[in-house]
């Protein structure tokens, strides 16, 4: 009852506000207590100045310095030019940092409080992905295969603190990769694709000669900061390209918010991932298949099957219904948590000592977890979770027949996306150090549902 009263108070307080990012934060009273919403919620400030590279965000381009982000301040609430969608922001309250079209952009690195969080890669072998991703403690939070195989670690620059940090992140990813199984190379850290879109496979990406791709068009961003919550929001436009005809099937806007909630009782990082899809020339069919859609691949030492490879490694899957491990597969749920053992972050000296070891899987362990929350405003909420004990962790709103085979003759999860209808897919991914119990996770989900204003798609 106390939580409900607090929620109602906060809703009344923010009802007249047009804040676009986060409106409130949860507070965990203790390790085994149910978290409640804070009464002294902080509305995020909107700075009227360009992003400063020495504060919460740093941008990096792998190709050349002339292609780095050039941030432009736009204070008027006007439609964004040269974008597939036209977005307007209410009452001129938003400060937008606009990045103009740059087809050579490869990466956008996010630093919160000067500490590396995540890197968005616009095109990794045909798919936008987020990798690497670190918890607040610097833990590598997703599988690094196959990306780590393309990294030339010895050649990474170290001319400033951001580059030094990033090199250490990649070195730690190499350590963590010792526990990884080299299966399903299309499962790349964190991604959004689907296995059957007009009979094109954007999920498996098996044949490069006819590979269907999601291409980057344009991006822009803005930064918010507050006493409790802060973050960066990245907008990315793209096209889903038919690998056979080379023509776009549908257009997308990805709105990816990288944030952290930090108080005396709670400290987590999160990624809010919103994808808006619309057909371009004709209706597009999303087929009924389990091979999709919003996916994360957990670290190798965290997956439930990891204990078979090393008795010190272990993992657990838990959903809001209390289903554990393989029983959570194919269930519709509000949230699912995947927690377990992960490699502890090593500093530079520890990295050097580690590489001198003969037994490479003997690295120090800590506990961490990933929770994927399905927004009630997302398409087909609650969706099915395609979560496997070998480490795949995905939400799929289409694979009805696969997830409920006993009804395969009476149901059809396919969907026809028309030009007149835009569909939104909304998820929050929480990265937490330590183990969270069901009550804590449910409170975080309740806070996400009630206190987060959705991305506006007019």
């Amino acid at each position: 009852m106390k939580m409900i009263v607090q929620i109602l108070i906060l809703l009344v307080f923010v009802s007249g506000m047009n804040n676009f990012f986060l409106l409130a934060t949860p507070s965990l009273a203790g390790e085994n207590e149910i978290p409640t919403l804070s009464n002294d919620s902080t509305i995020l400030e909107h700075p009227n100045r360009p992003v400063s590279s020495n504060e919460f965000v740093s941008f990096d381009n792998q190709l050349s310095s002339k292609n780095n982000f050039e941030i432009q301040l736009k204070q008027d609430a006007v439609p964004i030019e040269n974008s597939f969608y036209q977005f307007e922001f209410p009452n001129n309250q938003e400060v937008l940092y606009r990045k103009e079209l740059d087809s050579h952009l490869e990466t956008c690195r996010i630093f919160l409080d000067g500490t590396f969080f995540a890197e968005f890669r616009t095109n990794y072998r045909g798919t936008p992905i987020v990798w690497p991703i670190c918890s607040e403690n610097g833990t590598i939070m997703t599988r690094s295969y196959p990306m780590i195989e393309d990294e030339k670690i010895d050649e990474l620059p170290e001319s400033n603190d951001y580059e030094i940090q990033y090199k250490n992140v990649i070195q730690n990813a190499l350590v963590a990769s010792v526990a990884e199984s080299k299966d399903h190379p299309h499962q790349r850290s964190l991604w959004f694709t689907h296995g059957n879109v007009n009979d094109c496979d954007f999920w498996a990406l098996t044949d490069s000669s006819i590979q269907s791709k999601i291409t980057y068009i344009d991006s822009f961003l803005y930064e918010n900061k507050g006493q409790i919550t802060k973050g960066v929001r990245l907008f990315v436009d793209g096209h889903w390209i038919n690998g056979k005809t080379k023509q776009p099937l549908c257009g997308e806007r990805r709105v990816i918010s990288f944030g952290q909630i930090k108080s005396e009782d709670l400290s987590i990082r999160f990624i809010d991932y919103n994808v808006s899809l619309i057909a371009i020339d004709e209706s597009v069919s999303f087929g009924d298949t389990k091979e999709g859609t919003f996916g994360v691949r957990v670290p190798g030492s965290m997956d439930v099957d990891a204990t078979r490879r090393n008795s010190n490694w272990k993992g657990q899957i838990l959903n809001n219904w209390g289903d554990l491990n393989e029983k959570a597969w194919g269930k519709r749920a509000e949230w699912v948590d995947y927690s377990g053992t992960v490699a502890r972050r090593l500093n530079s000296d520890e990295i050097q000592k580690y590489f001198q070891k003969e037994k490479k899987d003997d690295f120090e362990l800590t506990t961490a977890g990933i929770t994927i929350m399905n927004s009630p405003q997302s398409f087909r909420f609650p969706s099915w979770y395609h979560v496997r004990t070998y480490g795949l962790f995905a939400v799929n709103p289409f694979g009805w027949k696969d997830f409920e085979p006993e009804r395969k003759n009476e149901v059809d999860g396919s969907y026809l996306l028309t030009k007149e209808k835009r569909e939104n897919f909304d998820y929050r991914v929480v990265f937490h150090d330590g183990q969270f119990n069901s009550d804590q996770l449910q409170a975080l989900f309740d806070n996400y549902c009630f206190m987060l204003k959705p991305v506006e798609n007019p």
Side-chain angles (χ1 to χ4, degrees):
M1 178 63 68
K2 180 180 178 182
M3 177 180 288
I4 295 175
V5 172
Q6 289 175 324
I7 289 172
L8 291 174
I9 293 173
L10 285 168
L11 284 174
V12 171
F13 174 70
V14 302
S15 62
M17 306 296 292
N18 286 304
N19 186 47
F20 188 71
F21 200 60
L22 291 174
L23 298 177
T25 63
S27 172
L28 294 184
E31 187 171 327
N32 298 314
E33 297 180 51
I34 300 176
T36 58
L37 295 175
S38 171
N39 284 321
D40 57 350
S41 304
T42 300
I43 303 299
L44 292 181
E45 302 169 4
H46 293 31
N48 57 356
R49 53 177 173 72
V51 172
S52 172
S53 62
N54 62 3
E55 289 196 35
F56 307 114
V57 60
S58 174
F59 302 99
D60 185 77
N61 187 302
Q62 299 289 334
L63 295 181
S64 66
S65 59
K66 69 178 182 179
N67 290 322
N68 285 343
F69 265 73
E70 296 178 2
I71 308 304
Q72 297 182 357
L73 184 64
K74 292 178 71 71
Q75 293 178 307
D76 297 329
V78 298
I80 304 304
E81 301 173 356
N82 300 324
S83 295
F84 185 80
Y85 301 110
Q86 300 298 304
F87 280 62
E88 294 190 16
F89 297 91
N91 299 335
N92 293 328
Q93 291 195 3
E94 303 302 329
V95 176
L96 194 63
Y97 298 94
R98 177 63 192 272
K99 161 67 181 61
E100 299 296 339
L101 177 64
D102 181 357
S103 60
H104 298 293
L105 177 71
E106 284 197 339
T107 67
C108 174
R109 292 179 187 166
I110 307 297
F111 290 76
L112 298 182
D113 280 337
T115 304
F116 179 84
F117 179 10
E119 178 174 2
F120 177 75
R121 302 190 173 198
T122 60
N123 179 10
Y124 183 77
R125 301 182 186 180
T127 307
I129 67 169
V130 183
W131 180 85
I133 303 171
C134 290
S135 71
E136 186 181 10
N137 289 345
T139 302
I140 302 297
M141 294 300 294
T142 58
R143 186 176 75 159
S144 294
Y145 173 80
M147 293 73 65
I148 194 67
E149 297 185 343
D150 296 336
E151 294 295 318
K152 299 179 180 179
I153 299 177
D154 294 338
E155 299 179 11
L156 291 174
E158 299 179 86
S159 61
N160 57 52
D161 179 62
Y162 290 116
E163 292 179 347
I164 292 172
Q165 277 195 58
Y166 184 75
K167 183 171 183 177
N168 179 258
V169 168
I170 299 301
Q171 288 173 327
N172 274 274
L174 182 61
V175 173
S177 69
V178 173
E180 296 175 354
S181 300
K182 294 184 179 181
D183 57 69
H184 303 85
H186 52 279
Q187 296 176 7
R188 303 166 181 171
S189 183
L190 185 152
W191 70 101
F192 183 96
T193 59
H194 192 63
N196 185 348
V197 184
N198 274 19
D199 296 324
C200 295
D201 189 348
F202 290 86
W203 178 264
L205 306 175
T206 53
D207 190 337
S208 59
S209 64
I210 57 171
Q211 178 177 310
S212 298
K213 300 179 180 181
I214 301 174
T215 61
Y216 161 79
I217 300 175
D218 194 7
S219 69
F220 56 97
L221 59 93
Y222 69 85
E223 173 201 24
N224 288 299
K225 66 176 184 177
Q227 295 178 3
I228 297 177
T229 315
K230 59 189 63 175
V232 177
R233 174 163 281 172
L234 175 67
F235 294 74
V236 182
D237 292 340
H239 283 158
W240 293 47
I241 305 296
N242 185 319
K244 298 177 181 178
T245 67
K246 311 304 180 185
Q247 297 300 311
L249 295 172
C250 57
E252 68 162 30
R253 166 158 288 177
R254 299 186 186 219
V255 184
I256 310 171
S257 303
F258 301 86
Q260 66 183 27
I261 300 173
K262 195 170 185 177
S263 66
E264 293 182 359
D265 303 312
L266 171 70
S267 184
I268 62 169
R269 287 180 167 182
F270 64 87
I271 296 177
D272 285 346
Y273 211 98
N274 169 273
V275 181
S276 296
L277 296 176
I278 190 169
I280 293 180
D281 292 325
E282 58 184 24
S283 298
V284 179
S285 173
F286 284 75
D288 187 333
T289 173
K290 63 180 174 57
E291 306 303 335
T293 302
F294 177 64
V296 172
R297 182 65 190 258
V298 306
S301 58
M302 182 194 287
D303 70 60
V304 175
D305 297 339
T307 189
R308 301 175 185 174
R309 305 188 297 275
N310 186 314
S311 60
N312 294 321
W313 301 340
K314 60 190 67 177
Q316 174 184 277
I317 303 168
L318 170 70
N319 68 14
N320 62 281
W321 304 111
D323 296 315
L324 291 173
N325 300 334
E326 64 274 1
K327 292 183 179 179
W329 182 84
K331 299 289 181 62
R332 303 181 81 160
E334 297 175 341
W335 56 262
V336 175
D337 181 74
Y338 212 131
S339 300
T341 52
V342 289
R344 180 183 69 82
R345 177 189 171 274
L346 304 178
N347 61 36
S348 298
D349 292 338
E350 292 172 322
I351 287 286
Q352 297 303 320
K353 292 179 181 179
Y354 167 80
F355 285 122
Q356 295 173 2
K357 287 185 175 184
E358 291 186 9
K359 193 176 181 181
K360 293 296 188 292
D361 63 352
D362 182 23
F363 48 76
E364 292 189 44
L365 297 169
T366 185
T367 303
I370 306 168
T371 312
I372 299 182
M373 301 177 178
N374 187 188
S375 167
Q377 297 176 347
S378 184
F379 175 74
R380 284 186 179 165
F381 169 87
S383 295
W384 296 268
Y385 278 77
H386 185 21
V387 55
R388 295 294 199 183
T389 57
Y390 71 77
L392 171 63
F393 188 9
V395 189
N396 184 331
F398 301 107
W400 201 341
K401 292 181 179 179
D402 281 325
F403 299 130
E404 300 182 22
E406 69 280 1
R407 302 183 61 194
K408 64 181 181 181
N409 294 326
E410 57 184 272
V411 298
D412 185 0
S414 61
Y415 180 76
L416 193 65
L417 181 67
T418 66
K419 292 178 65 177
E420 295 77 23
K421 180 70 173 178
R422 176 188 292 138
E423 290 296 351
N424 296 310
F425 304 80
D426 297 275
Y427 311 99
R428 167 168 287 188
V429 188
V430 172
F431 302 94
H432 57 86
D433 292 301
Q435 189 86 34
F436 278 33
N437 63 39
S438 182
D439 289 338
Q440 293 169 326
L441 294 168
Q442 187 63 45
L444 287 173
F445 175 78
D446 291 342
N447 177 245
Y448 169 52
C449 294
F450 289 110
M451 308 311 299
L452 178 65
K453 187 175 180 180
V455 172
E456 297 190 1
N457 293 326

